[in-house]
C-alpha cells in the first residue's frame, strides 16, 4: 500500500510564497486522493503493488490496460507531489538558497546559467496549457527543461514525450495556486523560486 508522506514542514511554513490554505488542501486532499486512488487501482494486484512508484510509472506498458490510466494519473500524481514537497523548504526563503557546486556548474554548462535557466523554466511553466508540471531533469548526464501535461512525468517511458530523471518539478495545476494567486500563474512561478530547496535538488542531481 502506498502512503501519503508527511510534509517535512508545517502548512504555513512556505508563506508568503505559498499560503497555508493551499498547502493544507493540496497535500491533505489532492495528494491524498492520488494515493487512495492508486491503492484502489492496485487492489488484488500484489505483484504491481510491491513495486516502487518510480518503477510503476516508469513501465506503464507492463501495467494491465484496464488500470493503466488510473496508475498513470494517480501514480504520476503520487510521485510528482512527493517530489514537490521535498524540493521546497522554508529555510530557502531565509538563506536565499541557490544551486551550488556541481549542480551550478551543470546549469552553467547545459542551460546557459541560472538566469537563463529560470527564464526557460518559467516559459515551460507558463507554456503548459491547462494542468501539468514544469521540470528540470537529468538525461544522459545533461540537464534539460521541459513540461508534461496532467500528472504525467519524465519517468514515463513510452508515454511522455519529455523524458529524464526529475530533480526539480513545479506543479502548475490551478489547485496549486488559485486560492492565493487566482489567474496569476506567472506570479506564483516567480515567488516559488524563493522556497526552492536547492540543497535537496543538488542531492538529487548527484544521485541521478
Ligand atoms: Mn498538485
Amino acid at each position: 500500500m502506498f502512503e501519503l508522506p508527511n510534509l517535512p514542514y508545517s502548512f504555513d511554513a512556505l508563506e508568503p510564497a505559498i499560503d497555508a490554505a493551499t498547502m493544507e488542501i493540496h497535500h491533505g486532499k489532492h495528494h491524498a486522493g492520488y494515493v487512495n486512488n492508486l491503492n484502489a487501482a492496485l487492489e488484488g494486484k500484489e505483484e504491481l503493488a510491491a513495486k516502487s512508484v518510480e518503477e510503476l510509472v516508469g513501465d506503464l506498458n507492463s501495467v494491465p490496460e484496464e488500470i493503466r490510466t488510473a496508475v498513470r494519473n494517480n501514480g504520476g500524481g503520487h510521485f510528482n507531489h512527493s517530489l514537490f514537497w521535498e524540493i521546497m523548504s522554508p529555510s530557502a526563503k531565509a538563506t536565499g538558497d541557490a544551486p551550488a557546486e556541481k549542480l551550478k556548474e551543470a546549469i552553467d554548462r547545459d542551460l546557459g546559467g541560472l538566469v537563463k535557466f529560470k527564464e526557460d523554466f518559467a516559459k515551460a511553466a507558463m507554456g503548459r496549457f491547462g494542468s501539468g508540471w514544469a521540470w528540470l531533469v537529468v538525461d544522459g548526464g545533461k540537464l534539460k527543461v521541459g513540461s508534461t501535461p496532467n500528472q504525467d512525468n519524465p519517468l514515463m517511458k513510452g508515454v511522455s514525450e519529455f523524458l529524464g530523471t526529475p530533480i526539480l518539478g513545479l506543479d502548475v495545476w490551478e489547485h496549486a495556486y488559485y486560492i492565493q494567486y487566482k489567474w496569476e500563474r506567472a506570479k506564483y512561478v516567480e515567488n516559488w523560486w524563493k522556497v526552492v530547496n536547492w540543497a535537496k535538488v543538488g542531492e538529487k542531481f548527484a544521485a541521478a
Side-chain angles (χ1 to χ4, degrees):
M1 294 285 275
F2 291 96
E3 283 181 15
L4 179 67
N6 288 325
L7 270 188
Y9 34 74
S10 60
F11 292 129
D12 64 358
L14 304 179
E15 288 188 350
I18 303 178
D19 72 314
T22 299
M23 289 298 292
E24 187 164 3
I25 293 167
H26 201 176
H27 178 265
K29 301 296 177 195
H30 291 277
H31 189 173
Y34 299 124
V35 172
N36 292 339
N37 291 337
L38 178 61
N39 285 330
L42 295 175
E43 211 176 313
K45 300 197 163 45
E46 283 163 26
E47 209 171 296
L48 287 173
K51 291 186 173 187
S52 69
V53 68
E54 290 86 347
E55 287 171 324
L56 270 179
V57 300
D59 190 12
L60 283 166
N61 288 328
S62 74
V63 173
E65 205 175 343
E66 72 268 19
I67 60 164
R68 195 175 296 155
T69 300
V71 171
R72 177 178 177 174
N73 290 339
N74 297 291
H78 178 38
F79 173 85
N80 298 348
H81 288 84
S82 299
L83 176 87
F84 189 51
W85 313 134
E86 242 193 311
I87 55 85
M88 297 189 288
S89 167
S91 67
K93 63 185 184 187
T95 59
D97 204 2
E101 298 167 358
K102 289 196 159 43
L103 176 57
K104 186 187 177 298
E105 286 168 27
I107 289 173
D108 290 344
R109 181 191 67 211
D110 298 336
L111 303 175
L114 189 61
V115 172
K116 176 75 164 54
F117 157 58
K118 285 187 174 179
E119 280 172 20
D120 288 344
F121 192 92
K123 270 184 210 161
M126 295 305 295
R128 171 50 55 193
F129 183 76
S131 297
W133 291 75
W135 301 102
L136 174 64
V137 303
V138 183
D139 183 31
K142 284 200 150 195
L143 291 173
K144 291 191 318 193
V145 169
S147 72
T148 55
N150 305 314
Q151 295 297 353
D152 285 359
N153 67 47
L155 296 174
M156 293 181 176
K157 293 190 191 78
V159 168
S160 177
E161 288 174 18
F162 182 70
L163 292 171
T165 303
I167 63 171
L168 177 72
L170 173 60
D171 190 341
V172 295
W173 283 57
E174 283 189 346
H175 70 226
Y177 61 88
Y178 209 84
I179 294 172
Q180 186 179 0
Y181 291 95
K182 305 295 185 286
W183 66 95
E184 298 188 277
R185 186 190 285 191
K187 210 180 262 184
Y188 159 67
V189 173
E190 190 185 328
N191 285 341
W192 173 74
W193 291 114
K194 294 172 192 159
V195 292
V196 170
N197 183 347
W198 282 109
K200 180 59 77 179
V201 182
E203 279 173 32
K204 289 187 175 292
F205 176 65

